[in-house]
Amino acid sequence: MKIGIIGLGYVGLPLGLAFAEEGHDVVGLDADPRKVDALRAGESYIEDVSSESLAAVAQKLAATTHYEDLAECDAVIICVPTPLTQAREPDLTHLIDAATSLSGVLQRGQLVSLESTTYPGTTRERLRPILEESGLAAGRDFHLAFSPERIDPGRTDFTVRTTPKVVGGLTEACTERAAALYGEICDEIVRVSGPEPAELTKLLENIFRSVNIALVNELAQLCERLDIDAWEVIEAAATKPFGFMRFDPGPGMGGHCLPIDPFYLAFKAREHDFYPEFVELAGKINQNQPLWCVTRIEHALNDVGKAVKGSKVLILGVSYKAGVGDIRESPALKIIRLSRELGAEISYHDPYVAELPELDLRSAPLEDELASSDLVCIVTAHAEIDYERVVAEAPLVLDFRGVTRGLKAENLVRL
Ligand SMILES: NC(=O)c1ccc[n+]([C@@H]2O[C@H](COP(=O)([O-])OP(=O)(O)OC[C@H]3O[C@@H](n4cnc5c(N)ncnc54)[C@H](O)[C@@H]3O)[C@@H](O)[C@H]2O)c1
């Protein structure tokens, strides 16, 4: 098959690679010419995709910025971002732009599959009419489906092949066509009755995480008041072999999905005069978690007789999760901004993030910063860091990830 991928980011690039590795011809399209140039030069810009794996499929994976190159594809998969507007409402501009360009080159017999996370109804109500501006009818002249992406950047125990893939087409034939496509790279296909259940499945998965993370974040706040170690409680609860699923508290939720997806559902719900309070409460607790972390910074410094103002605070890890360089919605950014507002002198170290231009910061070498900081905050716990050494060398350590759990030291405070 010849498969087009629109949007070569965290989702699109690994997907394109998976098809190319199965021997299919892949045309990867991105609006960002720098990404296209990098791929043409054989350079990956995504941690989970090595440049060696790209080199191995160099003949099978072409990169382009031209939509005309998609005209010869059997299937086109859309993986563009679905962020929020300033007013925290769904921003479908990337999707609408991509769909408009695609409709200009859409061919009879093609399959179009949307993978971007979005609210139920997007495929049918927003994507379909734009594609039909081509003069072709969805479900008759071309196939249309939604298949949510489940990639978890940095995860190695589950791959594209071993993660079941949910597909829901506009018609049964659309579903079967999409199932056949994804069956090339996934062992298990889960068919649902249409695009809407498939769209909502993805939102449920992420909201499930958001709600449970909010629960343990709130528990951590309560534990501070009760002077109980939240980690000890969570670890003990996690020994229950049934009816409990472990989630860990932290400095807040980041990334392109968890902080954003609940707003997509809330938006759709409001259209139907329904207010999903559970979902919104979880979002509120998680969004406020970095503020609470800043209070913890104030208290930790206060306990050693220091004010935030003028103190040197080193933030350890600024990406939104361990093992990746993605800083979208990262709670570290909020913690840095709020601490700066209180007068802290901030530096950071992150092996995955060389600079934060918006905050005018560059990753500082750990060895220079540890002893000279008043406080080191572990915000994102990358595996490469030796936390025992951090606790041994820094005057004061505040651990928001529980990564120092095995250690006991006078200068160590945990969330
Ligand atoms: N990152 C994840 O872990 C993850 C997991 C599951 C689902 N998703 C969802 O998948 C979608 C994509 O996320 P991502 O993390 O890959 O985003 P990303 O920003 O890493 O990649 C998206 C790419 O699309 C390109 N693009 C934007 N508009 C375009 C257009 N009109 N035409 C062509 N290319 C265009 C961008 O240049 C970018 O390279 C989102 O809806 C996201 O919610 C992401």
Side-chain angles (χ1 to χ4, degrees), residues 147-331:
S147 179
E149 177 54 53
R150 285 172 155 172
I151 198 160
D152 182 12
R155 181 176 281 278
T156 49
D157 49 353
F158 286 95
T159 61
V160 171
R161 178 154 289 288
T162 59
T163 307
K165 191 95 174 100
V166 174
V167 295
L170 207 62
T171 63
E172 261 179 49
C174 293
T175 303
E176 286 315 311
R177 181 82 188 280
L181 170 72
Y182 290 113
E184 294 289 316
I185 53 164
C186 299
D187 289 339
E188 189 183 339
I189 305 296
V190 182
R191 293 166 176 80
V192 292
S193 60
E196 293 80 8
E199 289 161 332
L200 189 52
T201 299
K202 174 69 190 179
L203 293 181
L204 171 63
E205 289 166 11
N206 280 353
I207 288 166
F208 173 81
R209 285 183 56 72
S210 169
V211 166
N212 281 286
I213 291 169
L215 178 68
V216 286
N217 278 340
E218 197 178 58
L219 179 90
Q221 295 196 18
L222 174 64
C223 280
E224 190 209 358
R225 302 262 176 107
L226 299 177
D227 201 19
I228 295 173
D229 183 344
W231 300 101
E232 192 183 355
V233 176
I234 290 165
E235 263 160 26
T239 60
K240 185 177 180 188
F242 48 86
F244 184 83
M245 184 177 281
R246 180 182 178 142
F247 284 85
D248 287 352
M253 269 182 346
H256 184 24
C257 296
L258 293 194
I260 289 175
D261 297 355
F263 288 96
Y264 269 74
L265 186 62
F267 166 82
K268 190 66 187 174
R270 278 200 305 274
E271 277 187 1
H272 293 262
D273 206 12
F274 186 92
Y275 297 86
E277 292 181 33
F278 229 85
V279 174
E280 294 192 349
L281 178 63
K284 198 169 127 191
I285 293 174
N286 290 328
Q287 289 295 319
N288 281 336
Q289 192 72 353
L291 271 76
W292 180 66
C293 290
V294 174
T295 315
R296 297 295 307 266
I297 290 175
E298 285 178 64
H299 287 183
L301 285 168
N302 187 59
D303 287 348
V304 293
K306 290 182 183 172
V308 178
K309 194 174 182 134
S311 285
K312 289 180 76 181
V313 177
L314 171 70
I315 304 291
L316 206 45
V318 294
S319 60
Y320 84 92
K321 68 183 244 183
V324 301
D326 192 346
I327 57 161
R328 287 178 289 185
E329 306 281 327
S330 174

Side-chain angles (χ1 to χ4, degrees), residues 6-12 29-32 35 67 79-82 94 97-98 115-117 149-151 153 202 256-257 261 320 328:
I6 302 178
L8 300 171
Y10 283 92
V11 167
L29 183 147
D30 203 288
D32 183 348
K35 286 192 176 155
Y67 275 80
C79 310
V80 296
T82 42
H94 297 287
D97 287 352
E115 295 219 7
S116 304
T117 306
E149 177 54 53
R150 285 172 155 172
I151 198 160
K202 174 69 190 179
H256 184 24
C257 296
D261 297 355
Y320 84 92
R328 287 178 289 185

Side-chain angles (χ1 to χ4, degrees), residues 34 36 63 70 87 95 98 112 116 121 125 143 186 224 226 277 288 333 337 352 355 357 377 379-380 400 412:
R34 287 168 307 178
V36 170
L70 300 177
L95 176 59
V112 178
S116 304
E125 295 159 15
H143 289 123
C186 299
E224 190 209 358
L226 299 177
E277 292 181 33
N288 281 336
L333 307 180
R337 282 202 188 93
Y352 292 84
E355 55 178 347
C377 287
V379 176
T380 299
F400 291 130
L412 175 61

